[in-house]
Amino acid sequence: MTAQDVTATLSSPIMGKVFSKSVTDDQWDGNTLTDTLSQQQVGILMPGANINRVQAQYSGGLMAWRIQNAATLTFQRFGFGMKDGLACYSSSYIAPYTINPNDILTAYALPLAAAAGQSNVLAWVVSSKGVSLFEAKGVVDATPTAMTTVVNNMSIGDDLFNSTVSSIHVQAEDGAVVDEITLIDNSGGTVITLYGGTRGGSLGAMSLQYNLKADDLALAIGKGFSLKVTTTAAP
């Protein structure tokens, strides 16, 4: 298993704390970030604190983060990291949130794909059932590839059956292009296609975090539906 360093600042206009961890790639378990000074988890260190920024950085590849209530397992806030050296305060805004004593900050990172012409991809999908993190690893250039949940390896049709998707946020590995994502129904028909692009330090990038950020959707998900991503790897 590979690993990489992840750091994150959780802050408000009047205060902030830095959290870090050498996280193991391709897993949530064991990847809880702790304060760089006291080694405490966020809920223990900052109970009752109000935050509206999360600046998360990873070493190389791609990375998702979440603030999760360890007692209820609900996701309180979530997002993507930025490659180390490309952080941006104005891009790190989150809806204001008050830290719960049970909260933990965890990271899910992937390295760069091992083979040329391939890319790793993550997607946060928000629906009426909640929030799910999807992934596709080793996506071959110009080849639509199904994304499945990180936790249970389920398709979007199995995981979110009978729900309505309101947003899809996609991050591909450093330098890669998300050409498009497509939602396919159970008969193989296209429900919707959304074009993406580059991010970070790549020419033409409009975001440091997102290759595609689609909000205000109203996509009804049926059994057998599939979410597919098409990419072009970094040259």
Side-chain angles (χ1 to χ4, degrees):
M1 299 290 287
T2 57
Q4 59 179 293
D5 292 332
V6 170
T7 60
T9 64
L10 276 62
S11 64
S12 71
I14 62 171
M15 57 80 68
K17 300 292 183 181
V18 179
F19 297 80
S20 67
K21 175 77 174 179
S22 177
V23 305
T24 301
D25 289 329
D26 202 14
Q27 66 180 50
W28 282 117
D29 293 344
N31 287 342
T32 299
L33 279 66
T34 56
D35 174 61
T36 55
L37 297 177
S38 67
Q39 306 305 309
Q40 292 182 326
Q41 298 176 2
V42 61
I44 297 174
L45 183 68
M46 303 172 66
N50 297 310
I51 63 169
N52 65 354
R53 305 276 175 178
V54 176
Q55 288 183 277
Q57 299 186 126
Y58 61 88
S59 300
L62 64 166
M63 186 266 286
W65 61 265
R66 67 186 181 191
I67 298 174
Q68 183 181 30
N69 186 302
T72 65
L73 302 182
T74 55
F75 296 3
Q76 310 298 342
R77 295 293 184 271
F78 58 91
F80 290 121
M82 309 175 199
K83 183 174 171 57
D84 188 17
L86 293 175
C88 174
Y89 179 79
S90 64
S91 300
S92 63
Y93 177 82
I94 63 169
Y97 176 65
T98 302
I99 299 294
N100 184 286
N102 292 318
D103 284 345
I104 58 175
L105 173 64
T106 59
Y108 183 90
L110 291 174
L112 296 171
Q118 296 184 12
S119 306
N120 292 328
V121 186
L122 294 172
W124 283 113
V125 177
V126 179
S127 76
S128 53
K129 284 189 174 181
V131 183
S132 299
L133 183 63
F134 287 77
E135 67 180 356
K137 293 181 283 190
V139 178
V140 177
D141 285 358
T143 305
T145 302
M147 304 193 74
T148 56
T149 56
V150 163
V151 175
N152 296 316
N153 196 35
M154 299 173 69
S155 71
I156 194 170
D158 289 336
D159 184 54
L160 301 179
F161 170 64
N162 202 29
S163 71
T164 300
V165 166
S166 57
S167 72
I168 302 174
H169 297 172
V170 183
Q171 183 179 91
E173 66 179 52
D174 303 324
V177 176
V178 171
D179 300 306
E180 63 183 40
I181 61 167
T182 304
L183 182 64
I184 306 295
D185 66 21
N186 55 9
S187 64
T190 297
V191 177
I192 193 171
T193 296
L194 302 170
Y195 295 142
T198 61
R199 70 173 178 91
S202 300
L203 183 65
M206 299 297 290
S207 172
L208 296 171
Q209 303 173 59
Y210 308 107
N211 292 82
L212 171 64
K213 186 174 186 284
D215 296 313
D216 301 318
L217 303 174
L219 301 171
I221 304 299
K223 196 70 173 177
F225 278 33
S226 177
L227 181 66
K228 294 189 174 183
V229 62
T230 304
T231 62
T232 301

